[in-house]
Amino acid sequence: MDYSIDTLDDIAKQVAAVMQNAMEKQKESNQPINIRGIETTMRKMLRQIGAEALEQVLSSSPEPPALTIACPCGGKLKYQRRRSAKVISVFGRVTYERDYYAGCQCGKGYAPVDERYGLQPGKVTAGLAALVGLAGVEFSFEHSQEWLQTFLLFEVSENTVRAETETLGALALAGDLAQSQSSQNEAYLQERLRDVVAVPPRLYGSIDAAKVRIEPRKQAEKQEKNEAWRDMKVGCWYETEEVSPKRCSTRERAKQERDAVIYRAKNIRYYCDIAEASEFGKLMWGQGCREQADWARELIFVCDGATWIWKLVEQYYPQAVQIVDWYHAEERLERVAQEAFPNRAMREAWLKETQSSLWEGQVAEVIQRCDRLAPKCAEAQHAVTYFTHNESRMHYDKFRAAGYLIGSGTVESGCKQIVTERLKRSGAQWLVAGAVQTAKARAVWLSGRWEALCARRDTLPLAI
């Protein structure tokens, strides 16, 4: 929207004059004046001005109302009267007057201004919903209420925070389902072939999972105080960039001694769900179609060694380069060394030599070294199976030579940010729907797509 700078200057001068007058009165009463007090008072004043201005905008009716208008059902509505309504905006509660129509056989009333601006009387506006939902994905619903009151200078209930966050999450869920369904449709796939798009030269994918505590719903479970933990599966698509020595973090500088070249993920897009692997695979494929993963010149999956993950990758992206996260493999050797060698010097010597073999892609040598320990070491037995099953995914020498990222820290960070930091707060307990909706909304925010999601919230059908 365009507005006149000169007009704003005039308004600013009026606000400043009111503020100066208030400060003079405070000075006369010997009350201290500081910048925080000035800012807070001015924020309160501007909030009140905004509320009154919004009320006037919504109440304005430049033309006389029509006597009859078409009803959304196809019938006719008759003009009744000017009728008041309330909404909760970014400026607080606003009451406005608008033309109201009724008398159709469908029995529903209609207010054109509500339709025009997407207003639902008694509910929050789309602008406030975006802020409330953002607070809900960042903090617990209880703390979101406190945080919002500090910044908005009025109270928004905890239930409103929950409702708006889950509404946005439900929209994200609906979008995911629509994308998954489209990606299973042959006509959609053929349409993509006709649509020329920018093909990513090198694209990465990663998948992982983290546990979420789900509230028992059956009475017997509640009485037994059983806790149900479900896997929140998290996936992401991303690209990488080489990090110059000057831009390296402290952790990256430590890695640089061995890795020589440091890569960092960029343009990360997350997706998530509580679903069986087969259903999550459909989500992965659908999200991949949106990112043109199936068209990428190079597609690389970096994940841990979970069997269900690699089955999905092989089913949907058989052309992809498969890499088992280096740090999981390295950690597996550390567990073997810890159990097999009580003597520290022997433990460190074996671990150093074996890790060096793994770093150079000599997986067969690693398997042999673990196999020699297997008769007396359970961890070594497990390691033999692990490295044997993933041998083709551990050619780290070739992967490094190709400039591939070999760590799955990107998706692990996604699990931490989506699940640990939001869903696993102290005392948090969820229903499946609430956990999924909140997680999906947070995934959208972390992926840099918040505005697009909020734009869909703007156009929700109204409850007449």
PDB file of all heavy atoms in Angstrom, residues 3 15-16 22 26-27 97-98 112 137 153 185 232 252 300 330 366 375 407 415 449 457 462:
ATOM      1  N   TYR A   3       1.490   5.306   0.642  1.00  0.00           N
ATOM      2  CA  TYR A   3       1.011   6.365   1.528  1.00  0.00           C
ATOM      3  C   TYR A   3       1.948   7.565   1.406  1.00  0.00           C
ATOM      4  O   TYR A   3       3.098   7.448   0.965  1.00  0.00           O
ATOM      5  CB  TYR A   3       0.934   5.893   2.989  1.00  0.00           C
ATOM      6  CG  TYR A   3       2.163   5.163   3.460  1.00  0.00           C
ATOM      7  CD1 TYR A   3       3.277   5.865   3.914  1.00  0.00           C
ATOM      8  CD2 TYR A   3       2.209   3.772   3.455  1.00  0.00           C
ATOM      9  CE1 TYR A   3       4.409   5.196   4.341  1.00  0.00           C
ATOM     10  CE2 TYR A   3       3.338   3.090   3.871  1.00  0.00           C
ATOM     11  CZ  TYR A   3       4.436   3.812   4.313  1.00  0.00           C
ATOM     12  OH  TYR A   3       5.569   3.151   4.728  1.00  0.00           O
ATOM     13  N   VAL A  15       2.020  13.407  17.200  1.00  0.00           N
ATOM     14  CA  VAL A  15       2.353  12.425  18.240  1.00  0.00           C
ATOM     15  C   VAL A  15       3.459  12.977  19.135  1.00  0.00           C
ATOM     16  O   VAL A  15       3.409  12.852  20.371  1.00  0.00           O
ATOM     17  CB  VAL A  15       2.776  11.083  17.608  1.00  0.00           C
ATOM     18  CG1 VAL A  15       3.336  10.141  18.674  1.00  0.00           C
ATOM     19  CG2 VAL A  15       1.606  10.432  16.898  1.00  0.00           C
ATOM     20  N   ALA A  16       4.474  13.594  18.512  1.00  0.00           N
ATOM     21  CA  ALA A  16       5.585  14.160  19.291  1.00  0.00           C
ATOM     22  C   ALA A  16       5.089  15.253  20.229  1.00  0.00           C
ATOM     23  O   ALA A  16       5.547  15.361  21.379  1.00  0.00           O
ATOM     24  CB  ALA A  16       6.649  14.711  18.344  1.00  0.00           C
ATOM     25  N   ALA A  22       3.064  15.164  27.692  1.00  0.00           N
ATOM     26  CA  ALA A  22       3.043  14.156  28.754  1.00  0.00           C
ATOM     27  C   ALA A  22       4.337  14.183  29.556  1.00  0.00           C
ATOM     28  O   ALA A  22       4.337  14.025  30.790  1.00  0.00           O
ATOM     29  CB  ALA A  22       2.810  12.773  28.145  1.00  0.00           C
ATOM     30  N   GLN A  26       5.019  14.928  33.598  1.00  0.00           N
ATOM     31  CA  GLN A  26       5.772  13.990  34.434  1.00  0.00           C
ATOM     32  C   GLN A  26       6.934  14.697  35.125  1.00  0.00           C
ATOM     33  O   GLN A  26       7.256  14.423  36.282  1.00  0.00           O
ATOM     34  CB  GLN A  26       6.294  12.833  33.573  1.00  0.00           C
ATOM     35  CG  GLN A  26       6.917  11.699  34.384  1.00  0.00           C
ATOM     36  CD  GLN A  26       7.142  10.460  33.542  1.00  0.00           C
ATOM     37  OE1 GLN A  26       6.531  10.282  32.507  1.00  0.00           O
ATOM     38  NE2 GLN A  26       8.030   9.600  34.010  1.00  0.00           N
ATOM     39  N   LYS A  27       7.540  15.628  34.404  1.00  0.00           N
ATOM     40  CA  LYS A  27       8.649  16.384  34.975  1.00  0.00           C
ATOM     41  C   LYS A  27       8.188  17.262  36.123  1.00  0.00           C
ATOM     42  O   LYS A  27       8.870  17.392  37.158  1.00  0.00           O
ATOM     43  CB  LYS A  27       9.292  17.227  33.872  1.00  0.00           C
ATOM     44  CG  LYS A  27      10.552  17.953  34.293  1.00  0.00           C
ATOM     45  CD  LYS A  27      11.144  18.704  33.111  1.00  0.00           C
ATOM     46  CE  LYS A  27      12.415  19.441  33.532  1.00  0.00           C
ATOM     47  NZ  LYS A  27      13.004  20.194  32.390  1.00  0.00           N
ATOM     48  N   GLU A  97     -18.426  -1.054  12.801  1.00  0.00           N
ATOM     49  CA  GLU A  97     -19.797  -1.128  12.298  1.00  0.00           C
ATOM     50  C   GLU A  97     -19.747  -1.436  10.800  1.00  0.00           C
ATOM     51  O   GLU A  97     -18.979  -0.822  10.071  1.00  0.00           O
ATOM     52  CB  GLU A  97     -20.523   0.193  12.520  1.00  0.00           C
ATOM     53  CG  GLU A  97     -20.632   0.623  13.971  1.00  0.00           C
ATOM     54  CD  GLU A  97     -21.707  -0.147  14.718  1.00  0.00           C
ATOM     55  OE1 GLU A  97     -22.674  -0.596  14.060  1.00  0.00           O
ATOM     56  OE2 GLU A  97     -21.577  -0.295  15.946  1.00  0.00           O
ATOM     57  N   ARG A  98     -20.574  -2.385  10.360  1.00  0.00           N
ATOM     58  CA  ARG A  98     -20.597  -2.676   8.930  1.00  0.00           C
ATOM     59  C   ARG A  98     -21.996  -3.038   8.468  1.00  0.00           C
ATOM     60  O   ARG A  98     -22.862  -3.402   9.275  1.00  0.00           O
ATOM     61  CB  ARG A  98     -19.593  -3.760   8.568  1.00  0.00           C
ATOM     62  CG  ARG A  98     -20.046  -5.206   8.811  1.00  0.00           C
ATOM     63  CD  ARG A  98     -19.823  -5.629  10.227  1.00  0.00           C
ATOM     64  NE  ARG A  98     -19.734  -7.094  10.302  1.00  0.00           N
ATOM     65  CZ  ARG A  98     -20.508  -7.864  11.055  1.00  0.00           C
ATOM     66  NH1 ARG A  98     -21.448  -7.323  11.803  1.00  0.00           N
ATOM     67  NH2 ARG A  98     -20.330  -9.173  11.090  1.00  0.00           N
ATOM     68  N   PRO A 112     -20.454  -7.841   3.740  1.00  0.00           N
ATOM     69  CA  PRO A 112     -19.456  -7.706   2.669  1.00  0.00           C
ATOM     70  C   PRO A 112     -18.070  -7.308   3.155  1.00  0.00           C
ATOM     71  O   PRO A 112     -17.062  -7.779   2.630  1.00  0.00           O
ATOM     72  CB  PRO A 112     -20.062  -6.630   1.765  1.00  0.00           C
ATOM     73  CG  PRO A 112     -21.536  -6.759   1.968  1.00  0.00           C
ATOM     74  CD  PRO A 112     -21.696  -7.097   3.413  1.00  0.00           C
ATOM     75  N   VAL A 137       5.224 -21.352  17.496  1.00  0.00           N
ATOM     76  CA  VAL A 137       6.220 -22.307  17.004  1.00  0.00           C
ATOM     77  C   VAL A 137       7.578 -22.093  17.660  1.00  0.00           C
ATOM     78  O   VAL A 137       8.440 -22.976  17.623  1.00  0.00           O
ATOM     79  CB  VAL A 137       6.379 -22.255  15.466  1.00  0.00           C
ATOM     80  CG1 VAL A 137       5.067 -22.540  14.774  1.00  0.00           C
ATOM     81  CG2 VAL A 137       6.965 -20.934  14.990  1.00  0.00           C
ATOM     82  N   LEU A 153       1.626  -5.526  24.069  1.00  0.00           N
ATOM     83  CA  LEU A 153       1.050  -4.660  25.119  1.00  0.00           C
ATOM     84  C   LEU A 153      -0.423  -4.941  25.362  1.00  0.00           C
ATOM     85  O   LEU A 153      -1.155  -4.083  25.843  1.00  0.00           O
ATOM     86  CB  LEU A 153       1.257  -3.178  24.779  1.00  0.00           C
ATOM     87  CG  LEU A 153       2.709  -2.741  24.612  1.00  0.00           C
ATOM     88  CD1 LEU A 153       2.785  -1.258  24.248  1.00  0.00           C
ATOM     89  CD2 LEU A 153       3.520  -3.013  25.880  1.00  0.00           C
ATOM     90  N   ASN A 185       0.349 -38.666  -9.123  1.00  0.00           N
ATOM     91  CA  ASN A 185      -0.529 -38.574 -10.284  1.00  0.00           C
ATOM     92  C   ASN A 185       0.299 -38.462 -11.559  1.00  0.00           C
ATOM     93  O   ASN A 185       1.156 -37.592 -11.688  1.00  0.00           O
ATOM     94  CB  ASN A 185      -1.442 -37.343 -10.126  1.00  0.00           C
ATOM     95  CG  ASN A 185      -2.473 -37.255 -11.224  1.00  0.00           C
ATOM     96  OD1 ASN A 185      -2.135 -36.960 -12.363  1.00  0.00           O
ATOM     97  ND2 ASN A 185      -3.722 -37.492 -10.878  1.00  0.00           N
ATOM     98  N   MET A 232       8.799 -38.782  15.447  1.00  0.00           N
ATOM     99  CA  MET A 232       8.563 -37.681  14.523  1.00  0.00           C
ATOM    100  C   MET A 232       9.667 -37.768  13.477  1.00  0.00           C
ATOM    101  O   MET A 232      10.834 -37.499  13.760  1.00  0.00           O
ATOM    102  CB  MET A 232       8.613 -36.330  15.232  1.00  0.00           C
ATOM    103  CG  MET A 232       8.506 -35.120  14.304  1.00  0.00           C
ATOM    104  SD  MET A 232       6.866 -34.918  13.567  1.00  0.00           S
ATOM    105  CE  MET A 232       5.939 -34.311  14.996  1.00  0.00           C
ATOM    106  N   GLU A 252      34.240 -25.593  13.191  1.00  0.00           N
ATOM    107  CA  GLU A 252      34.672 -25.870  11.820  1.00  0.00           C
ATOM    108  C   GLU A 252      36.186 -25.746  11.686  1.00  0.00           C
ATOM    109  O   GLU A 252      36.803 -26.490  10.917  1.00  0.00           O
ATOM    110  CB  GLU A 252      33.967 -24.914  10.859  1.00  0.00           C
ATOM    111  CG  GLU A 252      32.496 -25.253  10.661  1.00  0.00           C
ATOM    112  CD  GLU A 252      31.736 -24.162   9.936  1.00  0.00           C
ATOM    113  OE1 GLU A 252      32.199 -23.002   9.943  1.00  0.00           O
ATOM    114  OE2 GLU A 252      30.671 -24.472   9.382  1.00  0.00           O
ATOM    115  N   ILE A 300      22.402 -36.477  -3.601  1.00  0.00           N
ATOM    116  CA  ILE A 300      23.172 -37.178  -2.568  1.00  0.00           C
ATOM    117  C   ILE A 300      22.341 -37.261  -1.300  1.00  0.00           C
ATOM    118  O   ILE A 300      21.833 -36.244  -0.818  1.00  0.00           O
ATOM    119  CB  ILE A 300      24.498 -36.434  -2.254  1.00  0.00           C
ATOM    120  CG1 ILE A 300      25.326 -36.248  -3.524  1.00  0.00           C
ATOM    121  CG2 ILE A 300      25.292 -37.196  -1.197  1.00  0.00           C
ATOM    122  CD1 ILE A 300      25.288 -34.860  -4.081  1.00  0.00           C
ATOM    123  N   GLU A 330      31.970 -43.287  12.844  1.00  0.00           N
ATOM    124  CA  GLU A 330      33.098 -43.053  13.743  1.00  0.00           C
ATOM    125  C   GLU A 330      32.701 -43.382  15.183  1.00  0.00           C
ATOM    126  O   GLU A 330      33.473 -44.010  15.933  1.00  0.00           O
ATOM    127  CB  GLU A 330      33.518 -41.591  13.625  1.00  0.00           C
ATOM    128  CG  GLU A 330      34.765 -41.223  14.371  1.00  0.00           C
ATOM    129  CD  GLU A 330      35.101 -39.756  14.200  1.00  0.00           C
ATOM    130  OE1 GLU A 330      34.174 -38.913  14.267  1.00  0.00           O
ATOM    131  OE2 GLU A 330      36.284 -39.440  13.994  1.00  0.00           O
ATOM    132  N   VAL A 366      38.297 -52.289   7.938  1.00  0.00           N
ATOM    133  CA  VAL A 366      37.585 -51.967   9.184  1.00  0.00           C
ATOM    134  C   VAL A 366      36.778 -53.177   9.649  1.00  0.00           C
ATOM    135  O   VAL A 366      36.777 -53.524  10.841  1.00  0.00           O
ATOM    136  CB  VAL A 366      36.665 -50.751   8.985  1.00  0.00           C
ATOM    137  CG1 VAL A 366      35.781 -50.525  10.213  1.00  0.00           C
ATOM    138  CG2 VAL A 366      37.469 -49.502   8.681  1.00  0.00           C
ATOM    139  N   PRO A 375      34.548 -62.247  18.724  1.00  0.00           N
ATOM    140  CA  PRO A 375      34.282 -63.376  19.636  1.00  0.00           C
ATOM    141  C   PRO A 375      34.125 -62.970  21.101  1.00  0.00           C
ATOM    142  O   PRO A 375      33.407 -63.623  21.861  1.00  0.00           O
ATOM    143  CB  PRO A 375      35.502 -64.278  19.425  1.00  0.00           C
ATOM    144  CG  PRO A 375      35.949 -63.982  18.025  1.00  0.00           C
ATOM    145  CD  PRO A 375      35.720 -62.520  17.864  1.00  0.00           C
ATOM    146  N   GLY A 407      28.549 -35.560   6.422  1.00  0.00           N
ATOM    147  CA  GLY A 407      27.908 -35.544   7.734  1.00  0.00           C
ATOM    148  C   GLY A 407      26.442 -35.195   7.626  1.00  0.00           C
ATOM    149  O   GLY A 407      26.051 -34.368   6.799  1.00  0.00           O
ATOM    150  N   CYS A 415      15.981 -32.086  13.575  1.00  0.00           N
ATOM    151  CA  CYS A 415      15.329 -32.838  14.661  1.00  0.00           C
ATOM    152  C   CYS A 415      15.419 -32.067  15.978  1.00  0.00           C
ATOM    153  O   CYS A 415      14.456 -32.006  16.748  1.00  0.00           O
ATOM    154  CB  CYS A 415      15.978 -34.210  14.814  1.00  0.00           C
ATOM    155  SG  CYS A 415      15.561 -35.393  13.527  1.00  0.00           S
ATOM    156  N   ARG A 449       9.579 -20.168   4.758  1.00  0.00           N
ATOM    157  CA  ARG A 449       8.358 -20.105   3.960  1.00  0.00           C
ATOM    158  C   ARG A 449       7.159 -19.622   4.783  1.00  0.00           C
ATOM    159  O   ARG A 449       6.011 -19.916   4.466  1.00  0.00           O
ATOM    160  CB  ARG A 449       8.059 -21.486   3.374  1.00  0.00           C
ATOM    161  CG  ARG A 449       9.052 -21.886   2.281  1.00  0.00           C
ATOM    162  CD  ARG A 449       8.880 -23.323   1.849  1.00  0.00           C
ATOM    163  NE  ARG A 449       9.638 -23.592   0.627  1.00  0.00           N
ATOM    164  CZ  ARG A 449      10.009 -24.799   0.234  1.00  0.00           C
ATOM    165  NH1 ARG A 449       9.701 -25.859   0.960  1.00  0.00           N
ATOM    166  NH2 ARG A 449      10.679 -24.964  -0.889  1.00  0.00           N
ATOM    167  N   ARG A 457      -3.348 -18.533   5.103  1.00  0.00           N
ATOM    168  CA  ARG A 457      -4.228 -18.275   6.249  1.00  0.00           C
ATOM    169  C   ARG A 457      -5.122 -17.072   5.966  1.00  0.00           C
ATOM    170  O   ARG A 457      -6.287 -17.029   6.369  1.00  0.00           O
ATOM    171  CB  ARG A 457      -3.377 -18.036   7.494  1.00  0.00           C
ATOM    172  CG  ARG A 457      -4.061 -17.371   8.678  1.00  0.00           C
ATOM    173  CD  ARG A 457      -5.143 -18.233   9.267  1.00  0.00           C
ATOM    174  NE  ARG A 457      -5.700 -17.649  10.466  1.00  0.00           N
ATOM    175  CZ  ARG A 457      -6.570 -16.631  10.507  1.00  0.00           C
ATOM    176  NH1 ARG A 457      -6.970 -16.073   9.390  1.00  0.00           N
ATOM    177  NH2 ARG A 457      -7.031 -16.202  11.666  1.00  0.00           N
ATOM    178  N   LEU A 462     -14.602 -17.964   5.330  1.00  0.00           N
ATOM    179  CA  LEU A 462     -15.146 -17.380   6.554  1.00  0.00           C
ATOM    180  C   LEU A 462     -16.316 -18.211   7.083  1.00  0.00           C
ATOM    181  O   LEU A 462     -17.061 -18.824   6.339  1.00  0.00           O
ATOM    182  CB  LEU A 462     -15.635 -15.959   6.271  1.00  0.00           C
ATOM    183  CG  LEU A 462     -14.588 -14.997   5.732  1.00  0.00           C
ATOM    184  CD1 LEU A 462     -15.205 -13.623   5.548  1.00  0.00           C
ATOM    185  CD2 LEU A 462     -13.392 -14.915   6.652  1.00  0.00           C
TER     186      LEU A 462
END
